[in-house]
Amino acid sequence: MNAVDTKLAELGITLPTPAAPVANYVPYVITGNLLVISGQLCFGLDGKLSDSHKGKLGAEIFNEAGLEAARLCAINVLAQAKAALGGDLSRIARCVRLGGFINAVPHFSALPAIMNGASDLMVEVLGDKGRHARSTIGVAELPADAAVEVEAMFEIS
Amino acid sequence: MNAVDTKLAELGITLPTPAAPVANYVPYVITGNLLVISGQLCFGLDGKLSDSHKGKLGAEIFNEAGLEAARLCAINVLAQAKAALGGDLSRIARCVRLGGFINAVPHFSALPAIMNGASDLMVEVLGDKGRHARSTIGVAELPADAAVEVEAMFEIS
Amino acid sequence: MNAVDTKLAELGITLPTPAAPVANYVPYVITGNLLVISGQLCFGLDGKLSDSHKGKLGAEIFNEAGLEAARLCAINVLAQAKAALGGDLSRIARCVRLGGFINAVPHFSALPAIMNGASDLMVEVLGDKGRHARSTIGVAELPADAAVEVEAMFEIS
């Protein structure tokens, strides 16, 4: 059990079985020392998209649920990273970038506050290695009407 | 004629003359062994945007045309890659990532099914080297009201 | 004063004090010889978001203000790059990619013309090293209702 696993346990976070893609793409690709993770939706630990994490920020769902959805996306990103790294999250040298896509109505501009759910999780689990560059945008729609999608790039050793 | 050219011929795919950018950006940049391709629209082989590939998924156009539009974007990505690699697509070691932007109305959530048009093409042409990480989002609008835009990153040798 | 600083002076561009992130993310990350910059909004030199650079293209604001907003995003990208590079912008070997997010109503498709404000600035300042791959999309909303957001990746030496 490495330091990242210990931190996950302390935080009470169980990484879910990562979702398998249902098409001709894969959840992650490693190129050189970069690990690129496909956009992850806010599936719960049971692998299902809860009704409380579906729909648009500013319409069907609001701040607290959105924050939770973003956090779930980040947990799913870590689950994919763990699978990519043969189970060893201590091989993450740095979270380089998160891309945050928020399913939002056109007048919902408090997007960064939602995306903080993902950013905070990354730093809680990885410490300073979790501090990342980030772009947050509000989108017209997301797959399965998920509230949030997060993609990631890591530097690995 | 390398293996990728042979596969393109088998599939009956002729890569178009890649679109030249009309501004201060370029269709691709190579950095180290990464090839980054600008977002490609669903222009046809004649270099024109067909009316059947314009407009929003869920309003002006529907599933089959959207799938075809995504496939065209991927063909244009490959055309740019070929230009970037001096005509030699066998230098592609891996399709690392596709970013799929679907021009969609706010209630059209079947976005992955549309983006499969691009993902499937990549694997048809490149085999396992074509399996990529992917993010798919629904956007409010795209350049020229195109139905789909796809950007890409490849690892090259 | 290196060549890039001289060019900035010639153009009469003063880089602002780069905005500090207000959360668990950072404005940039360097991995290998890649510099990844977080999405930058169109804050002015005073660090404030002017009312003339807020709102949606095609509704509250129009072409000239949008172009100016995109240019401001690119200036903020360069300000972050300068901070990342210890003040030495001559370490930029290439602007690899810009991602342009335009806050737009669903029928505003003249997105590339807006994003040219960022692309043109990059080439004005960096010359041929400023020519980049680019993806431009119209989004439902942006943080703080900014008109434009631009993210960037540079190759550095």
Side-chain angles (χ1 to χ4, degrees), chain B residues 16-37:
Chain B
T17 305
V22 290
N24 266 328
Y25 67 100
V26 291
Y28 50 81
V29 171
I30 293 175
T31 175
N33 62 348
L34 295 178
L35 165 61
V36 176
I37 309 265

Side-chain angles (χ1 to χ4, degrees), chain A residues 22-32 34 36-39 56 101 137 139-145 149 151 153, chain B residues 34 94-97 104-109 111-112 116 119-120 123 131-140 153 155:
Chain A
V22 289
N24 265 327
Y25 67 99
V26 290
Y28 51 80
V29 171
I30 293 175
T31 176
L34 294 177
V36 176
I37 310 265
S38 293
K56 296 196 191 310
F101 309 114
I137 62 175
V139 299
E141 183 55 284
L142 285 175
D145 200 25
E149 176 177 341
E151 62 175 9
M153 186 165 70
Chain B
L34 295 178
R94 186 73 186 261
C95 181
V96 174
R97 179 184 176 273
V105 295
H107 55 79
F108 185 87
S109 64
L111 304 161
N116 286 349
S119 292
D120 290 352
V123 174
R131 295 188 193 282
H132 49 273
R134 170 176 121 172
S135 296
T136 302
I137 62 175
V139 299
M153 185 165 71
E155 180 184 316

Side-chain angles (χ1 to χ4, degrees), chain B residues 30 52 55-56 58-59 61 78 80 99 107 114 124 139 145 152:
Chain B
I30 293 175
S52 58
K56 296 194 192 312
I61 80 168
L78 285 178
Q80 298 290 7
H107 55 79
I114 301 302
E124 280 173 31
V139 299
D145 201 24

Side-chain angles (χ1 to χ4, degrees), chain C residues 65-83:
Chain C
L67 198 69
E68 203 171 69
R71 182 181 169 89
L72 282 174
C73 292
I75 288 174
N76 286 307
V77 162
L78 284 178
Q80 297 290 8
K82 187 165 184 169

Side-chain angles (χ1 to χ4, degrees), chain C:
Chain C
M1 198 156 154
N2 61 45
V4 181
D5 293 332
T6 304
K7 178 56 77 176
L8 283 167
E10 279 176 25
L11 294 167
I13 296 171
T14 306
L15 296 183
T17 305
V22 289
N24 265 328
Y25 67 101
V26 290
Y28 50 81
V29 171
I30 293 175
T31 175
N33 63 347
L34 294 178
L35 165 61
V36 176
I37 309 264
S38 293
Q40 298 296 307
L41 303 179
C42 42
F43 291 114
L45 297 184
D46 58 357
K48 290 179 182 161
L49 187 57
S50 159
D51 280 345
S52 57
H53 302 136
K54 285 179 79 166
K56 297 195 191 310
L57 269 293
E60 291 86 21
I61 80 166
F62 294 91
N63 291 11
E64 203 174 340
L67 198 69
E68 203 171 69
R71 182 181 169 89
L72 282 174
C73 292
I75 288 174
N76 286 307
V77 162
L78 284 178
Q80 297 290 8
K82 187 165 184 169
L85 299 171
D88 185 3
L89 284 172
S90 73
R91 285 179 58 200
I92 292 179
R94 184 73 187 260
C95 181
V96 173
R97 178 183 176 275
L98 294 185
F101 309 113
I102 317 292
N103 191 358
V105 296
H107 56 80
F108 185 87
S109 65
L111 303 162
I114 302 304
M115 185 58 187
N116 286 349
S119 292
D120 290 352
L121 187 278
M122 216 45 86
V123 174
E124 278 172 33
V125 174
L126 299 174
D128 281 347
K129 292 178 183 177
R131 296 189 191 281
H132 49 273
R134 169 178 122 171
S135 296
T136 303
I137 62 175
V139 299
E141 184 55 283
L142 285 175
D145 201 25
V148 185
E149 176 177 339
V150 175
E151 63 175 7
M153 186 166 69
F154 294 94
E155 181 185 316
I156 58 173
S157 62

Side-chain angles (χ1 to χ4, degrees), chain A residues 87-119:
Chain A
D88 185 3
L89 284 171
S90 73
R91 286 180 57 202
I92 293 178
R94 184 73 186 260
C95 181
V96 174
R97 178 185 177 274
L98 293 185
F101 309 114
I102 316 292
N103 190 358
V105 296
H107 55 79
F108 184 88
S109 64
L111 303 161
I114 301 303
M115 185 58 187
N116 286 350
S119 292

